Amino acid sequence: MNTTINLAGVELKNPVMTASGTFGSGEEYSEFVDLSRLGAVVTKGVANVPWPGNPTPRIAETKCGMMNAIGLQNPGIDLFCERDIPFLKKYDTKIIVNVCGRTKEDYCEVVERLAGEDVDLLEINISCPNVKAGGIAFGQNPAAVEEITKEVKKYAKQPIIMKLSPNVTDITEMAKAAEAGGADVLSLINTLTGMKIDIHKQAFALANKTGGVSGPAIKPIAVRMVYQVANAVKLPIIGMGGIATAEDAVEFILAGATAVSIGTANFFNPTATVEAVEGIEAYMRQYHFDSINEMIGLVK
Amino acid sequence: MNTTINLAGVELKNPVMTASGTFGSGEEYSEFVDLSRLGAVVTKGVANVPWPGNPTPRIAETKCGMMNAIGLQNPGIDLFCERDIPFLKKYDTKIIVNVCGRTKEDYCEVVERLAGEDVDLLEINISCPNVKAGGIAFGQNPAAVEEITKEVKKYAKQPIIMKLSPNVTDITEMAKAAEAGGADVLSLINTLTGMKIDIHKQAFALANKTGGVSGPAIKPIAVRMVYQVANAVKLPIIGMGGIATAEDAVEFILAGATAVSIGTANFFNPTATVEAVEGIEAYMRQYHFDSINEMIGLVK
Amino acid sequence: MAGKYKESVTVVSQESIAEEIYSLWLQTADIAEHAVPGQFISMYTNDGSRLLPRPISICEIDRAKGQLRVVYRVTGPDTGTEQFAALKQGETIEVLGPLGNGFPLEAGKGRKAFLIGGGIGVPPILELAKQLDAEKQIVVGYRDTQFLLDEFGQNGAVFVATEDGSAGTKGNVMDAVAANELTADIIYACGPTPMLRAIKAYAQEHDIECYLSLEEKMACGVGACLGCVCQSRDKDAHSNVHNKRVCKDGPVFLATEVEL
Amino acid sequence: MAGKYKESVTVVSQESIAEEIYSLWLQTADIAEHAVPGQFISMYTNDGSRLLPRPISICEIDRAKGQLRVVYRVTGPDTGTEQFAALKQGETIEVLGPLGNGFPLEAGKGRKAFLIGGGIGVPPILELAKQLDAEKQIVVGYRDTQFLLDEFGQNGAVFVATEDGSAGTKGNVMDAVAANELTADIIYACGPTPMLRAIKAYAQEHDIECYLSLEEKMACGVGACLGCVCQSRDKDAHSNVHNKRVCKDGPVFLATEVEL
Ligand SMILES: Cc1cc2nc3c(=O)[nH]c(=O)nc-3n(C[C@H](O)[C@H](O)[C@H](O)COP(=O)(O)OP(=O)(O)OC[C@H]3O[C@@H](n4cnc5c(N)ncnc54)[C@H](O)[C@@H]3O)c2cc1C
Ligand SMILES: Cc1cc2nc3c(=O)[nH]c(=O)nc-3n(C[C@H](O)[C@H](O)[C@H](O)COP(=O)(O)OP(=O)(O)OC[C@H]3O[C@@H](n4cnc5c(N)ncnc54)[C@H](O)[C@@H]3O)c2cc1C
Ligand SMILES: Cc1cc2nc3c(=O)[nH]c(=O)nc-3n(C[C@H](O)[C@H](O)[C@H](O)COP(=O)(O)O)c2cc1C
Ligand SMILES: Cc1cc2nc3c(=O)[nH]c(=O)nc-3n(C[C@H](O)[C@H](O)[C@H](O)COP(=O)(O)O)c2cc1C
Ligand code: FES
Ligand code: FES
């Protein structure tokens, strides 16, 4: 049985990875999960300089989901390279660094800095609500998506994953723009923008007012978008949004994802990622798939 | 304590109504609910002619939500006027007729036909996935929203509610377009487009492949959009999306909704609407609101 | 029209009666009093993440005790039916019912009838067998393990078909009819669609009055959402198109009225 | 660093010890063995619609029996804590722990200490009182109804404050300290932020070493998501900004290290 998948020339032992921002750089969950069992670890978004993030409360629970407004707190690329990459190198897994920024230059600086580092892929988060380009978030405008992809590609030594926002009318436009800009891989979906009001305090549940909704609640929207994008572009897709079990992971793969990321589920099941690895194998045995590649986009 | 609200000159005894398509024309749930307790009954979408809708399965369960792809099955405006309006007239509640169509002309025909009927408001569903205008759904393009609003207004005798789709990058653009077109009230949100794959059958859960996600899972997204729209236009808003309890209803009102609709919750709690009426009153007593109008948009 | 009730009901007893098949007796306030054979109840799980009801046929009605029996299959791990199977005596769940229209008992009075159940369509046939006043030939088909056979034996002549041939005729219910050279003037049936299709064809061929209980994915269960329609031969009075609601207009239909 | 465990634990007993306050003993495989006072556990509901854990302090540790006690407030109807309150003996729930760093016991050894708990911050003070080897002055503040007072009495001198004056000093814990003219060389405290802020000011004024247990909304509970940060005086080694994680770097902090 072959579970290896290929993302722009990088071979992963299996399609299961962590979703950026939910797994730190792996250290905290390494108590629960042997990171070497995972296809890849995707790190929390890192910027050119340290970011303090948003005020608290940053977290709110929603039905079958949660909202976060972390605001991309991160220690900056220098400390990240010094501490987090060496930590991850101890494991037999691929390293995917999620990159965030406020301007094009911010992104490019991080990407350039990572060119000399021993990491496997870069995931460019153009769907963070803090990041504006001429008043419009990078990820909600096809021209901006194409441009930032092109810019980043100029500096990148590793293949580039563009991470798309679901808060758009037509996700395939964004996917095509990223493809046109030279993206190697797409990942989707980031969180859906939501809001919660505490009716007893008569105040917003999050200090930031709005936050990103994640978890099983958003899975049907994510599956739909993965399916649409898989049928609109040629690039491999990393699917995510509400994956909690191997069955969920298989659903994304059948819809067209080459790999899957598990985010919020780590918070209620710290071993969700390894369980997904095992469960996908069980599914392949049950339905007689020799290679996971036979499953990708099977349902049309 | 005053729970009456005003929608474009129409006075409702309380802000609680039913969400179109989840309550038929009220008959089926009249076994559980005294319709006279509700602010208004919003009927299932009706077109100029009978529509057969989509093939089955039309329903799928999702985490804290569901998907439907009914495809706007309806008996056509003639039978509707003959049967459903007289039925609803027996109750002391406002009647809001939800209107659907494939073309501008379809909509206008229904609106014109209803001009002579004793109904209180018309809700124009421009967010149904079957309805195309030049390849783009009416509800996903501001120019189309404005145009259809203007057209419909030409024929309308009753105030017009434009029902907005959440499957857009910026809902305030659509709201402003509807306002510019002369809409009297806005309602939001309709369902989010989703997909579910049955991994054992390796097939789509819905015959239509995609369906509309509704229920508590989508509430944070709906609250966010209601808040955004309330702060972008002057029109009263009917908020909906995942409301299951009085607490949920209050959340929407605090975010800026003048009225609320309850949809999916009827399916798991047939008395959800009257319970919301009672619970809102209890909330007003607890927090000493004399008039519900003091609550609208209180959280800024 | 009899009323419908949303009740929080108490589990009287639960047992596994075959592999993955459970039998559950529920104490109801009103539903048992009004239920008739062929109707179903909407059962809700106690898990807030599963909103929709599971439509489950009424298998037995004990009006005296105010109890209902349902027999259901656990469809897999992490399903609503698996949660039902975990219910213990004294625990409560929400149900809505009785829903839909039952089998027409008058139509069969004094006639020679087939009562056909296939797979998880077998349970509603039991209460039908108990209440129908006819010459009853109960034909039940199973994949492998059988259940409810003792109860059927007390209510008529029983003919069994199993797919694996482990009991009765090897094959489906129609094979059992053929093997036993059975005939009837009226048919009542519940089971998987391919089985119903075969029965409908047989009934048409032999010009027999035939009632079929259909299955469809449901949301409201009361006729409001139009989620559960089947295609009808004639334009339906309610829908004004060729669609009938399984939950409200059915689940039992005259075979000639519906397209399968 | 001691390990963390995700366990399905069994309810040993549950009782209501004051209005809306419940005491729950849990049988754990590993957590009780490793827990220290001031640590907490993440408790998960059995309802699939609530994903996030409720962080609850460890109130007592019975290492011999492998049991943990938590004492918690039901915050309202339809909350996760209301679901905890419905748990019966023998039922199981998922927990993750022990989490965070406890109160530094060595620092207080042989010294004159305040152990201050306010409201639902009272429970963790109990295990601290049991394990701390110091001259213990336990100062506990309640809105109205008191709880755990008997247990505290066995572990030190107890001073009570109530907001409504129904017992002890009318007012807050600092009012009780003043009223009883208490002094100390070291402070341990847990409770609402305004109380901690007052204690921090008091400690600063009197130049007393002071440890505070903070509260923040959490998602992961293990330091991965950065959801639960508080502001720190110095640039934090992990975050490289002025943020510390309450779940992992706390919940107990040296008062001078954090901004409240
Ligand atoms: C009128 C009627 C009577 C029925 N009577 C019985 C009975 O007596 N015993 C029995 O075991 N089963 C019966 N079924 C089938 C039963 O409803 C499904 O097996 C059950 O809903 C599956 O739920 P689940 O939680 O196990 O599956 P899940 O996979 O968790 O269900 C997911 C969703 O799909 C729906 N669903 C899945 N399968 C079906 C199905 N076959 N029909 C309708 N909805 C489905 C569920 O209601 C739920 O909304 C009946 C169905 C109908 C329509
Ligand atoms: C380190 C720590 C220790 C704690 N120890 C105790 C204790 O021993 N006893 C006790 O009764 N309470 C304690 N709390 C507070 C307790 O976590 C909350 O009261 C509880 O989470 C409320 O959950 P709910 O289901 O009742 O409320 P809901 O309103 O259903 O919760 C909604 C969400 O908000 C979160 N939340 C709500 N209030 C708080 C809060 N005050 N702090 C953190 N998250 C919150 C919940 O975890 C959940 O994610 C502690 C909090 C922390 C951070
Ligand atoms: C607490 C939290 C922090 C996140 N931080 C990031 C981030 O730094 N960069 C990023 O691209 N996505 C971030 N995300 C989005 C996730 O990577 C993922 O796209 C999203 O949560 C959907 O997946 P899920 O439902 O499995 O969580 C974050 C999500 C959460 C819940
Ligand atoms: C089964 C079903 C049918 C619906 N039919 C319509 C419709 O005919 N017209 C319309 O405008 N909205 C329709 N909707 C959308 C609802 O009115 C509502 O906008 C949406 O479901 C969100 O609210 P909820 O989460 O409370 O269900 C339908 C929703 C459901 C679930
Ligand atoms: S399930 Fe709603 S109409 Fe049948
Ligand atoms: S809760 Fe995730 S870092 Fe503290």
Side-chain angles (χ1 to χ4, degrees):
Chain A
M1 199 171 51
N2 180 4
T3 60
T4 59
I5 55 128
N6 189 303
L7 290 178
V10 180
E11 204 166 82
L12 276 63
K13 64 173 71 153
N14 65 56
V16 178
M17 33 207 251
T18 62
S20 175
T22 65
F23 210 76
S25 287
E27 200 213 312
E28 291 80 10
Y29 281 108
S30 66
E31 270 189 67
F32 300 95
V33 172
D34 175 2
L35 304 182
S36 299
R37 297 288 306 280
L38 306 181
V41 170
V42 183
T43 67
K44 169 79 185 159
V46 62
N48 54 339
V49 292
W51 288 15
N54 288 326
T56 56
R58 293 178 171 184
I59 299 286
E61 194 179 51
T62 66
K63 287 283 170 179
C64 285
M66 61 172 283
M67 288 199 308
N68 87 82
I70 308 296
L72 293 169
Q73 177 185 326
N74 77 86
I77 187 67
D78 289 336
L79 182 55
F80 178 84
C81 289
E82 206 175 291
R83 179 185 61 193
D84 298 30
I85 298 176
F87 171 80
L88 283 169
K89 290 312 291 179
K90 294 189 294 185
Y91 297 91
D92 177 23
T93 188
K94 298 299 171 186
I95 303 175
I96 302 182
V97 181
N98 183 282
V99 176
C100 60
R102 285 197 183 80
T103 63
K104 254 185 326 205
E105 292 70 31
D106 287 359
Y107 283 103
C108 291
E109 192 183 330
V110 180
V111 169
E112 194 172 12
R113 177 81 172 72
L114 285 166
E117 296 285 338
D118 193 6
V119 301
D120 300 288
L121 294 127
L122 310 185
E123 183 180 58
I124 312 298
N125 177 8
I126 51 165
S127 25
C128 35
N130 294 331
V131 179
K132 308 279 179 198
I136 299 163
F138 280 123
Q140 294 182 309
N141 174 320
V145 170
E146 184 171 342
E147 197 196 322
I148 182 112
T149 310
K150 272 190 184 145
E151 280 300 312
V152 158
K153 279 296 287 181
K154 283 187 198 155
Y155 296 90
K157 282 278 178 306
Q158 294 89 350
I160 287 293
I161 306 163
M162 296 305 288
K163 184 161 179 181
L164 304 182
S165 166
N167 300 295
V168 295
T169 306
D170 183 355
I171 188 111
T172 64
E173 273 187 38
M174 307 303 151
K176 286 178 194 156
E179 188 175 46
D184 302 291
V185 180
L186 300 177
S187 69
L188 59 144
I189 60 175
N190 210 314
T191 54
L192 283 148
T193 307
M195 176 180 279
K196 182 174 174 176
I197 289 174
D198 183 323
I199 66 164
H200 300 294
K201 298 190 181 144
Q202 294 167 1
F204 299 103
L206 297 174
N208 191 50
K209 295 190 184 181
T210 59
V213 184
S214 62
I218 69 168
K219 196 185 72 170
I221 298 158
V223 172
R224 183 260 296 180
M225 289 187 168
V226 165
Y227 176 84
Q228 288 180 314
V229 170
N231 288 283
V233 300
K234 298 217 161 52
L235 303 178
I237 295 167
I238 303 166
M240 75 197 81
I243 300 179
T245 64
E247 286 71 27
D248 297 334
V250 167
E251 190 177 353
F252 276 81
I253 295 168
L254 294 175
T258 295
V260 292
S261 284
I262 296 180
T264 301
N266 294 301
F267 303 157
F268 53 90
N269 180 10
T271 50
T273 46
V274 275
E275 287 172 24
V277 171
E278 285 160 11
I280 291 171
E281 288 172 7
Y283 180 87
M284 289 174 68
R285 272 192 299 274
Q286 187 183 350
Y287 291 98
H288 310 294
F289 289 105
D290 290 328
S291 160
I292 191 129
N293 293 293
E294 297 162 24
M295 286 166 57
I296 300 169
L298 190 66
V299 176
K300 283 272 187 287
Chain B
M1 198 171 53
N2 180 3
T3 60
T4 59
I5 55 127
N6 188 303
L7 290 180
V10 180
E11 205 167 79
L12 276 62
K13 64 172 70 151
N14 65 55
V16 178
M17 32 206 254
T18 61
S20 175
T22 65
F23 211 77
S25 286
E27 199 213 313
E28 291 80 10
Y29 280 108
S30 66
E31 267 189 67
F32 300 95
V33 172
D34 174 3
L35 303 183
S36 299
R37 297 287 307 278
L38 305 182
V41 170
V42 183
T43 67
K44 170 76 184 161
V46 62
N48 54 339
V49 293
W51 287 15
N54 288 325
T56 57
R58 291 177 172 187
I59 300 286
E61 194 179 49
T62 66
K63 287 284 168 177
C64 284
M66 61 172 282
M67 289 199 309
N68 87 82
I70 309 295
L72 294 170
Q73 177 186 325
N74 77 86
I77 188 66
D78 289 337
L79 181 57
F80 179 85
C81 289
E82 204 176 291
R83 178 185 63 194
D84 297 31
I85 298 176
F87 170 81
L88 283 169
K89 290 311 294 177
K90 294 188 295 184
Y91 297 91
D92 177 22
T93 189
K94 299 299 172 189
I95 303 175
I96 302 183
V97 182
N98 183 282
V99 177
C100 60
R102 284 199 184 79
T103 63
K104 257 188 318 207
E105 292 69 32
D106 287 359
Y107 283 103
C108 292
E109 191 183 329
V110 180
V111 169
E112 193 173 15
R113 177 80 173 70
L114 286 165
E117 295 286 337
D118 192 6
V119 301
D120 299 288
L121 292 127
L122 309 186
E123 181 178 59
I124 312 299
N125 178 8
I126 51 165
S127 24
C128 36
N130 292 332
V131 178
K132 308 281 179 194
I136 298 162
F138 280 124
Q140 294 181 310
N141 176 319
V145 170
E146 183 170 345
E147 197 197 324
I148 182 114
T149 309
K150 273 190 183 145
E151 281 299 312
V152 158
K153 279 296 286 180
K154 284 186 198 158
Y155 297 90
K157 282 276 178 307
Q158 295 90 349
I160 287 292
I161 306 163
M162 296 304 287
K163 182 160 180 182
L164 304 182
S165 166
N167 299 297
V168 296
T169 306
D170 183 355
I171 188 112
T172 65
E173 272 188 40
M174 307 301 151
K176 287 178 192 157
E179 188 174 46
D184 302 289
V185 181
L186 300 177
S187 70
L188 58 145
I189 61 173
N190 210 313
T191 53
L192 282 148
T193 307
M195 176 180 279
K196 182 173 173 178
I197 289 173
D198 183 324
I199 66 164
H200 300 294
K201 297 189 180 143
Q202 295 167 0
F204 299 103
L206 297 174
N208 191 49
K209 295 190 183 181
T210 59
V213 184
S214 61
I218 69 168
K219 195 185 71 168
I221 299 158
V223 172
R224 182 260 296 181
M225 290 187 169
V226 165
Y227 176 84
Q228 287 180 315
V229 170
N231 288 284
V233 300
K234 298 217 161 50
L235 304 178
I237 294 167
I238 304 166
M240 75 198 81
I243 301 180
T245 64
E247 287 71 28
D248 296 333
V250 167
E251 188 176 354
F252 276 81
I253 294 169
L254 295 175
T258 296
V260 292
S261 285
I262 296 181
T264 301
N266 294 300
F267 304 156
F268 53 88
N269 180 12
T271 52
T273 46
V274 277
E275 288 172 24
V277 172
E278 287 160 10
I280 290 171
E281 289 173 7
Y283 181 87
M284 288 174 68
R285 272 191 300 275
Q286 186 182 352
Y287 291 99
H288 309 293
F289 288 105
D290 290 329
S291 160
I292 191 131
N293 292 293
E294 299 162 22
M295 285 166 56
I296 300 169
L298 190 68
V299 177
K300 283 271 189 288
Chain C
M1 193 180 43
K4 305 183 184 73
Y5 305 90
K6 179 90 191 282
E7 285 185 22
S8 178
V9 300
T10 306
V11 173
V12 177
S13 64
Q14 161 124 279
E15 62 177 319
S16 168
I17 58 169
E19 208 187 325
E20 289 167 0
I21 309 286
Y22 288 77
S23 166
L24 184 63
W25 276 100
L26 300 169
Q27 186 70 47
T28 85
D30 295 298
I31 301 175
E33 192 183 331
H34 296 94
V36 298
Q39 285 189 304
F40 65 97
I41 57 174
S42 270
M43 291 177 60
Y44 293 82
T45 73
N46 289 325
D47 178 346
S49 72
R50 296 180 202 278
L51 304 183
L52 296 183
R54 276 60 181 157
I56 304 286
S57 297
I58 294 168
C59 171
E60 276 192 86
I61 305 165
D62 186 333
R63 204 159 284 173
K65 291 192 188 155
Q67 295 179 357
L68 279 184
R69 182 188 193 186
V70 290
V71 167
Y72 62 94
R73 165 174 287 145
V74 171
T75 60
D78 195 28
T79 56
T81 43
E82 193 191 40
Q83 293 187 324
F84 296 152
L87 287 169
K88 293 189 186 67
Q89 189 183 337
E91 293 183 344
T92 59
I93 59 159
E94 297 281 316
V95 304
L96 175 66
L99 301 177
N101 300 307
F103 290 109
L105 298 175
E106 280 305 310
K109 206 159 190 174
R111 294 167 79 186
K112 198 172 169 191
F114 284 158
L115 289 72
I116 308 181
I120 204 61
V122 165
I125 300 302
L126 179 54
E127 187 63 30
L128 174 66
K130 286 170 66 183
Q131 294 199 23
L132 188 71
D133 178 11
E135 187 188 333
K136 288 171 274 197
Q137 305 166 87
I138 303 167
V139 190
V140 278
Y142 304 94
R143 209 181 314 158
D144 36 41
T145 35
Q146 302 113 55
F147 49 89
L148 298 181
L149 278 184
D150 286 354
E151 287 98 324
F152 280 121
Q154 293 157 28
N155 291 284
V158 182
F159 306 89
V160 174
T162 52
E163 277 174 39
D164 64 354
S166 58
T169 308
K170 181 170 162 60
N172 60 34
V173 287
M174 295 321 289
D175 294 324
V177 166
N180 293 287
E181 295 178 6
L182 305 178
T183 60
D185 307 322
I186 185 167
I187 301 176
Y188 298 94
C190 182
T193 306
M195 178 189 106
L196 298 183
R197 213 175 271 135
I199 293 171
K200 180 177 171 176
Y202 172 91
Q204 223 149 1
E205 195 185 321
H206 296 81
D207 199 21
I208 308 176
E209 189 175 346
C210 174
Y211 295 95
L212 305 176
S213 180
L214 307 192
E215 213 179 286
E216 193 47 76
K217 292 265 190 322
M218 295 183 179
C220 71
V222 299
C225 75
L226 310 182
C228 67
V229 299
C230 63
Q231 278 192 276
S232 57
R233 189 194 52 198
D234 299 324
K235 199 179 276 186
D236 173 65
H238 174 267
S239 71
N240 213 14
V241 292
H242 292 263
N243 282 346
K244 283 184 181 294
R245 296 163 296 179
V246 171
C247 69
K248 172 121 180 166
D249 308 314
V252 179
F253 294 98
L254 193 57
T256 49
E257 277 180 345
V258 289
E259 313 287 343
L260 290 177
Chain D
M1 193 179 45
K4 306 184 183 74
Y5 305 90
K6 180 91 189 286
E7 285 185 21
S8 180
V9 300
T10 307
V11 173
V12 177
S13 64
Q14 161 125 276
E15 63 176 321
S16 169
I17 58 169
E19 208 187 323
E20 289 167 0
I21 309 285
Y22 289 76
S23 166
L24 184 63
W25 276 100
L26 300 169
Q27 186 69 46
T28 84
D30 296 297
I31 302 175
E33 192 183 331
H34 295 96
V36 298
Q39 286 190 304
F40 66 96
I41 57 174
S42 270
M43 291 178 57
Y44 294 83
T45 73
N46 289 325
D47 178 347
S49 73
R50 295 180 204 278
L51 302 183
L52 295 183
R54 277 59 180 156
I56 304 287
S57 297
I58 294 168
C59 171
E60 276 193 88
I61 305 164
D62 187 334
R63 205 158 284 171
K65 290 194 188 152
Q67 295 179 356
L68 279 185
R69 183 188 192 185
V70 291
V71 167
Y72 62 94
R73 164 174 287 145
V74 171
T75 60
D78 195 28
T79 56
T81 42
E82 193 192 39
Q83 293 187 323
F84 295 152
L87 287 170
K88 291 189 190 68
Q89 189 184 335
E91 292 183 346
T92 59
I93 59 159
E94 296 281 317
V95 304
L96 175 66
L99 301 177
N101 301 308
F103 291 108
L105 298 176
E106 279 305 311
K109 205 158 192 174
R111 295 169 77 184
K112 200 171 169 195
F114 283 159
L115 289 71
I116 308 181
I120 204 59
V122 166
I125 301 301
L126 180 54
E127 186 64 30
L128 174 66
K130 287 171 65 182
Q131 294 199 22
L132 189 70
D133 178 12
E135 188 188 332
K136 287 170 274 196
Q137 305 168 87
I138 302 166
V139 190
V140 278
Y142 304 93
R143 208 180 317 159
D144 36 42
T145 36
Q146 301 112 56
F147 49 88
L148 298 181
L149 279 183
D150 287 354
E151 287 97 325
F152 279 121
Q154 294 157 27
N155 291 285
V158 182
F159 306 89
V160 173
T162 53
E163 277 174 39
D164 64 357
S166 58
T169 309
K170 181 169 160 63
N172 61 34
V173 286
M174 295 321 289
D175 294 324
V177 165
N180 294 287
E181 297 181 2
L182 304 179
T183 61
D185 308 322
I186 184 167
I187 302 177
Y188 299 94
C190 183
T193 306
M195 178 188 108
L196 298 184
R197 214 176 270 134
I199 293 173
K200 180 178 171 175
Y202 172 91
Q204 222 148 3
E205 195 185 319
H206 295 81
D207 199 21
I208 308 175
E209 188 175 347
C210 174
Y211 295 94
L212 305 176
S213 180
L214 307 192
E215 214 178 286
E216 194 45 77
K217 293 263 190 324
M218 295 182 181
C220 71
V222 299
C225 76
L226 309 182
C228 67
V229 298
C230 63
Q231 278 192 276
S232 56
R233 187 192 55 195
D234 301 324
K235 198 178 276 184
D236 175 64
H238 174 267
S239 71
N240 213 15
V241 293
H242 292 263
N243 282 346
K244 284 184 182 293
R245 296 162 296 179
V246 171
C247 69
K248 171 120 180 166
D249 307 315
V252 179
F253 294 98
L254 193 58
T256 50
E257 276 181 345
V258 290
E259 315 286 343
L260 291 176

